Amino acid sequence: METNGRPKLHQDAEGLAPRIKQMLNKVELSVSSYDTAWVAMVPSKDSSKQPSFPKCLNWVMENQRIDGSWGLDPCHPLLVKDSLSCTLACVLALQKWKVGPQLIHKGLDFIVSNIWAATDKNQHSPLGFDIIFPGMIEYANHIGLNLSVNQPSMEAMFLKRDLETKSLKDKTSNLAYFAEGLTQSCDWKEIMKYQRMNGSLFNSPSTTAATFIYLHDGKCFEYLDTLVKNFENAVPTVYPLDLYARLSVVDNLQKLGIDRYFREEIEVVLSEVYRNWMLGSEEIILDARCCAMAFRLLRMNGYEISADGLSNVEEQEKLLYAKDTKSILELFKASQVTIFADEPVLDRIYAWTSTCLNDMLVNGAISEKNLQIEVDYALKHPHACLERIESRMWIENYNADNFSLLKTSYRFCNVDYKDLWKFSIQDFNVCQAIHREELEHLEGWIKKYGINNLKFTRPTIRYAFFAIASTFFQPNFSNIRMSWAKNSVLATAVDDFFDFAGSMEELLNLIDLIERWDQHSTIDYKSKEVEILFGAIYGTTNELAAKASIQQGRCIKRHLIDIWISFLKANLKEAEWARNKTIPTINEYLSNGYISFGLGPIILISLYFLEPLSEEVVTSEEYKNLFMHTSLIARLINDRVTVEREGAQGKLNSVSLQVVLSGGAVTKEDAQEEVKRLIESHRRELLRMVLQTEESTVPKVCKDLFWRMNKVLHLFYMSGDGFSSPSKMVNAVNAIINEPIILP
């Protein structure tokens, strides 16, 4: 359970926490046999017949696997391509310096026995494999190595290499990254324009080593020399990678839903990344994946940064070698974090990354199953990603080995990701058990007030509770979940009553009762339905007001009553329009409609269980605008998907009104597009306000509630009206509330 400030860690996690904290401070990368072999091939400045880095050569000689291969994980069935590439690079290094003949022989046997993997589409493919591996084969032949590979296989590989090279002819940055595979055809001086301040090419030891071998550039050598001194015998596949590696840990903790246990450490990481972003660090701005992830995490955590920082990688990634799915996915996610009407960089990135990722899925170009699932989820839920749904999806498809692929595979090796995974499962199940108890209480509350006897209203309690349990899932937010769920049920019942179940006399009677509140006994109930509705609103609001007053240190009941009165009167106006066949203007409709949607009782009352809110805050323009933008998004999304149903009921909404008021000049399709544009505009402004820190009086956690409601709305209306047809949400509800995650 969470206590003051930092939550109490589960007992099983006590030993894990220090290691995660250490990893957030510094990440240790696995060594790369592929890159170490290329560094080992660098000749001495004094003699071309001696290696500059003999320790790297010794490491290669001492680390051959029993099957003759080199690589990160020789047992992984989908990393055979990676093992082929690593093994051939090591064999080349040994052959160049005429050492380890037996090792060379065993390595060649491994390559010949597993050459089938080179053209197997189901294998995980290192970046540039189809260019680099054939290039290394040519170099092997050049230095006298006899690779007994059958001719058809060789021809297939070289044909694919030529096609890939031709397709990248004008994409020099991609070709430069794969320079070690281009051999004699490479324009090495052209490649040097990509040299970074640290002397490297793309922070890649292999590319830098190959460049030095051909050009003997002093800065390249300084980079390699520093690298070997830092890592001694073997080098990683990319260096430096510290910022991206630590950001990846932060991202993993968030996806698994356990980041709240490490808030202080995460803030240290983000502060350092922000400092480097503002300094224009090459480690960020020249690495698409790092830049995109940094932008998303910094902006979503309230750091004020411009999207223009992504312009350095925008075009680079538009021309990216297509198999770097993770970089494209990170850019796609970054493009969702728009907060201004005019952010063309993000709009362009969204346009091409969404198309590219869709094409990859359709064409089966993503070989990693867990990555397929992540891409599919991201594309289907661009604005509808609820935290607990994503956590469950991520946990169930988690890559506990946690290797990544660049030109070879690598992993962060100073923490056991299986422990992280187990911890997240335990945390998920503990929270879920609390949620099940809360749902039992809510079902009792329904019966207590007789809401189950209202035959006209939609059965929403499970789905209302699911919505808030998917976003504010932590144990200490129980009162928020109770308030949200109860008021969601009541607001839905009132909406249905005003829409079609109640007479005008009954509607006015209910409003009169609410306005009189404690003096309600002075008038009669016009029907049993009115009595049930009023009794539930009255009893529940009094209960919530009493609890919230303790946390707020003041009585807030009057404000809760006023919220209900505003909601009821807005619904009354819509009922009058429908019954009198009045056609309001768009402005009249939206000014009333954002209140009649019913988020007032749901959100505004729940806010009192998050943070102390002064009278100044709840009457501020910021507070009102947060509510307005959220409610307008709700009203407009609802209108887009319910226009047909409401038209059949004789009701007008923001879509049909445009058509009617234009006299038919505006088509329904045009009206739908305009509503879509308005939704996007309000969504951007809402996110801007949520992330704003300067001149903001509404506490951040309260602003988060508005943003999370926006995501709930997008999910429920993603494929129709999820509130009116909740059966579509059954699987998601069960996953969050009813079905524990079973540890395999």
Side-chain angles (χ1 to χ4, degrees):
M1 294 285 187
E2 294 193 32
T3 53
N4 295 331
R6 181 182 287 264
K8 184 179 179 182
L9 291 172
H10 297 217
Q11 185 175 357
D12 290 354
E14 291 292 344
L16 173 64
R19 283 187 283 164
I20 298 175
K21 293 175 184 178
Q22 180 187 10
M23 191 174 185
L24 285 164
N25 290 329
K26 182 180 180 181
V27 175
E28 296 175 12
L29 289 177
S30 57
V31 299
S32 163
S33 53
Y34 174 79
D35 290 85
T36 301
W38 276 101
V39 174
M41 283 188 256
V42 171
S44 167
K45 288 183 175 181
D46 301 323
S47 171
S48 62
K49 296 182 179 181
Q50 296 293 326
S52 267
F53 306 108
K55 287 185 177 180
C56 290
L57 183 61
N58 290 338
W59 185 93
V60 170
M61 296 178 68
E62 294 167 1
N63 283 274
Q64 187 178 44
R65 309 285 186 181
I66 194 168
D67 63 355
S69 72
W70 283 266
L72 179 71
D73 190 347
C75 298
H76 198 296
L78 297 177
L79 287 179
V80 184
K81 269 188 182 180
D82 184 40
S83 293
L84 284 175
S85 186
C86 293
T87 301
L88 185 50
C90 289
V91 166
L92 292 177
L94 296 174
Q95 177 69 10
K96 178 168 183 173
W97 304 118
K98 300 294 189 291
V99 294
Q102 291 183 326
L103 303 178
I104 293 173
H105 181 72
K106 286 180 67 177
L108 292 176
D109 282 347
F110 174 84
I111 293 168
V112 172
S113 299
N114 292 276
I115 197 66
W116 56 268
T119 53
D120 187 340
K121 293 182 179 179
N122 295 318
Q123 284 285 314
H124 297 332
S125 187
L127 292 183
F129 178 87
D130 293 328
I131 292 175
I132 295 172
F133 189 68
M136 289 197 295
I137 288 178
E138 285 186 332
Y139 182 56
N141 292 332
H142 177 70
I143 62 175
L145 278 173
N146 181 26
L147 271 170
S148 303
V149 179
N150 65 72
Q151 195 63 25
S153 295
M154 294 284 282
E155 290 176 355
M157 282 189 287
F158 288 133
L159 176 61
K160 192 166 188 180
R161 187 271 307 272
D162 294 341
L163 290 173
E164 291 282 359
T165 305
K166 186 176 181 181
S167 70
L168 296 173
K169 183 178 179 182
D170 299 322
K171 306 171 181 60
T172 55
S173 63
N174 292 317
L175 283 175
Y177 182 50
F178 311 138
E180 64 267 35
L182 299 176
T183 60
Q184 301 296 334
S185 64
C186 186
D187 185 345
W188 293 100
K189 291 184 179 179
E190 176 69 16
I191 283 174
M192 284 300 292
K193 71 181 186 181
Y194 298 104
Q195 188 174 44
R196 299 189 177 179
M197 292 178 66
N198 62 11
S200 76
L201 279 300
F202 307 101
N203 288 340
S204 167
S206 54
T207 307
T208 309
T211 303
F212 177 80
I213 290 170
Y214 280 90
L215 292 183
H216 306 290
D217 178 76
K219 289 186 67 179
C220 285
F221 186 86
E222 288 176 12
Y223 168 79
L224 296 171
D225 190 48
T226 301
L227 189 65
V228 173
K229 286 177 180 175
N230 287 341
F231 292 93
E232 296 186 354
N233 300 333
V235 301
T237 192
V238 58
Y239 178 82
L241 192 68
D242 182 64
L243 293 179
Y244 170 72
R246 292 162 70 197
L247 279 172
S248 293
V249 177
V250 172
D251 194 43
N252 265 273
L253 293 172
Q254 289 189 356
K255 287 175 178 175
L256 291 170
I258 53 177
D259 55 300
R260 66 190 188 279
Y261 293 98
F262 308 98
R263 286 176 184 148
E264 293 174 11
E265 292 77 19
I266 287 172
E267 185 54 39
V268 170
V269 173
L270 294 179
S271 295
E272 186 174 343
V273 171
Y274 176 69
R275 180 176 61 81
N276 279 274
W277 179 285
M278 299 307 291
L279 291 172
S281 167
E282 287 187 341
E283 190 176 347
I284 296 176
I285 63 172
L286 295 181
D287 183 324
R289 200 180 300 182
C290 183
C291 190
M293 186 180 287
F295 173 78
R296 171 171 58 86
L297 292 177
L298 288 175
R299 182 170 271 195
M300 288 305 294
N301 281 277
Y303 289 86
E304 294 186 9
I305 55 174
S306 169
D308 292 341
L310 287 169
S311 60
N312 289 309
V313 297
E314 178 194 1
E315 287 303 314
Q316 171 192 334
E317 289 307 300
K318 195 169 184 179
L319 304 174
L320 184 69
Y321 189 59
K323 292 185 177 66
D324 192 2
T325 311
K326 289 186 178 179
S327 291
I328 300 173
L329 178 59
E330 280 302 330
L331 282 163
F332 174 76
K333 290 179 180 179
S335 73
Q336 306 297 307
V337 194
T338 49
I339 60 175
F340 298 112
D342 184 25
E343 292 198 291
V345 172
L346 296 182
D347 293 337
R348 290 193 298 270
I349 289 175
Y350 173 79
W352 75 263
T353 54
S354 56
T355 300
C356 183
L357 291 171
N358 266 307
D359 289 345
M360 286 179 169
L361 282 179
V362 171
N363 298 327
I366 306 173
S367 59
E368 298 176 54
K369 184 180 178 182
N370 62 330
L371 187 56
Q372 287 177 14
I373 294 170
E374 187 178 2
V375 169
D376 184 60
Y377 184 82
L379 290 172
K380 289 179 178 176
H381 303 81
H383 305 304
C385 179
L386 304 192
E387 284 78 358
R388 224 45 178 169
I389 295 178
E390 183 180 31
S391 290
R392 175 145 197 160
M393 182 270 295
W394 189 252
I395 291 169
E396 290 181 333
N397 297 283
Y398 192 59
N399 176 14
D401 293 332
N402 202 51
F403 69 83
S404 295
L405 275 174
L406 289 172
K407 286 191 285 190
T408 185
S409 56
Y410 69 94
R411 63 164 58 104
F412 308 140
C413 52
N414 59 325
V415 75
D416 188 342
Y417 270 76
K418 290 181 181 178
D419 285 346
L420 259 185
W421 180 55
K422 291 175 184 177
F423 177 31
S424 64
I425 292 174
Q426 182 190 29
D427 179 75
F428 185 96
N429 289 339
V430 166
C431 292
Q432 189 184 67
I434 294 170
H435 298 162
R436 283 197 297 274
E437 292 177 4
E438 292 170 346
L439 184 57
E440 287 180 14
H441 166 81
L442 289 168
E443 289 169 342
W445 167 80
I446 290 277
K447 294 175 182 177
K448 173 184 176 181
Y449 286 106
I451 299 170
N452 55 309
N453 295 321
L454 296 175
K455 304 304 180 186
F456 60 82
T457 193
R458 293 161 280 179
T460 57
I461 186 61
R462 289 168 60 81
Y463 304 98
F465 182 71
F466 153 77
I468 186 63
S470 296
T471 53
F472 276 81
F473 56 86
Q474 297 90 331
N476 65 314
F477 288 142
S478 181
N479 283 335
I480 297 163
R481 289 190 289 275
M482 293 294 101
S483 173
W484 175 296
K486 290 177 180 180
N487 285 313
S488 292
V489 170
L490 294 176
T492 301
V494 166
D495 181 67
D496 292 340
F497 192 58
F498 276 70
D499 265 358
F500 56 84
S503 67
M504 187 58 70
E505 183 182 30
E506 289 172 309
L507 306 187
L508 292 170
N509 180 218
L510 180 59
I511 292 175
D512 196 9
L513 287 162
I514 298 292
E515 288 182 324
R516 291 172 185 263
W517 203 252
D518 287 336
Q519 283 75 47
H520 65 271
S521 59
T522 58
I523 60 172
D524 295 328
Y525 300 111
K526 297 300 181 182
S527 67
K528 185 64 176 176
E529 287 77 13
V530 170
E531 183 179 3
I532 291 173
L533 281 173
F534 174 74
I537 294 171
Y538 180 80
T540 302
T541 302
N542 283 339
E543 170 207 334
L544 294 173
K547 287 184 178 180
S549 294
I550 296 173
Q551 184 165 340
Q552 295 296 319
R554 64 187 181 92
C555 181
I556 47 90
K557 185 192 292 186
R558 185 67 247 172
H559 186 213
L560 306 195
I561 297 169
D562 289 342
I563 289 170
W564 275 107
I565 292 172
S566 295
F567 171 54
L568 292 169
K569 288 187 174 180
N571 272 274
L572 178 65
K573 181 172 286 189
E574 287 189 354
E576 290 171 342
W577 285 342
R579 296 175 196 210
N580 298 331
K581 299 190 183 306
T582 302
I583 301 176
T585 65
I586 289 290
N587 186 56
E588 289 172 332
Y589 172 79
L590 291 178
S591 296
N592 185 75
Y594 85 85
I595 299 172
S596 70
F597 188 84
L599 295 189
I602 300 170
I603 295 181
L604 301 184
I605 294 176
S606 299
L607 290 176
Y608 280 117
F609 293 102
L610 280 173
E611 286 282 330
L613 297 173
S614 66
E615 188 72 22
E616 180 185 3
V617 170
V618 298
T619 56
S620 68
E621 287 302 309
E622 181 186 15
Y623 176 93
K624 293 175 184 176
N625 286 333
L626 284 163
F627 175 64
M628 179 195 69
H629 287 299
T630 307
S631 297
L632 279 172
I633 291 168
R635 171 53 64 199
L636 292 165
I637 292 179
N638 173 275
D639 287 357
R640 285 196 78 206
V641 301
T642 63
V643 61
E644 300 293 343
R645 188 189 75 212
E646 293 187 338
Q649 295 172 352
K651 293 180 65 178
L652 293 170
N653 68 24
S654 59
V655 177
S656 54
L657 265 176
Q658 291 183 68
V659 178
V660 171
L661 292 172
S662 72
V666 175
T667 66
K668 188 175 77 172
E669 291 71 24
D670 291 338
Q672 288 274 24
E673 281 302 308
E674 174 59 15
V675 169
K676 182 180 178 182
R677 185 194 65 78
L678 288 172
I679 292 168
E680 178 63 15
S681 175
H682 286 292
R683 188 192 66 79
R684 292 188 184 200
E685 179 58 19
L686 174 63
L687 184 56
R688 186 195 67 77
M689 293 188 68
V690 169
L691 300 180
Q692 178 182 342
T693 54
E694 292 185 8
E695 300 180 358
S696 176
T697 59
V698 179
K700 178 63 166 63
V701 69
C702 294
K703 293 194 289 185
D704 284 342
L705 187 63
F706 289 103
W707 180 246
R708 293 180 190 186
M709 171 53 97
N710 158 74
K711 296 197 287 185
V712 168
L713 292 163
H714 277 87
L715 178 69
F716 271 81
Y717 288 106
M718 191 169 65
S719 55
D721 184 354
F723 288 100
S724 298
S725 303
S727 59
K728 298 176 181 178
M729 308 295 296
V730 169
N731 290 339
V733 171
N734 286 334
I736 300 307
I737 300 174
N738 296 326
E739 300 169 355
I741 300 176
I742 307 300
L743 184 67

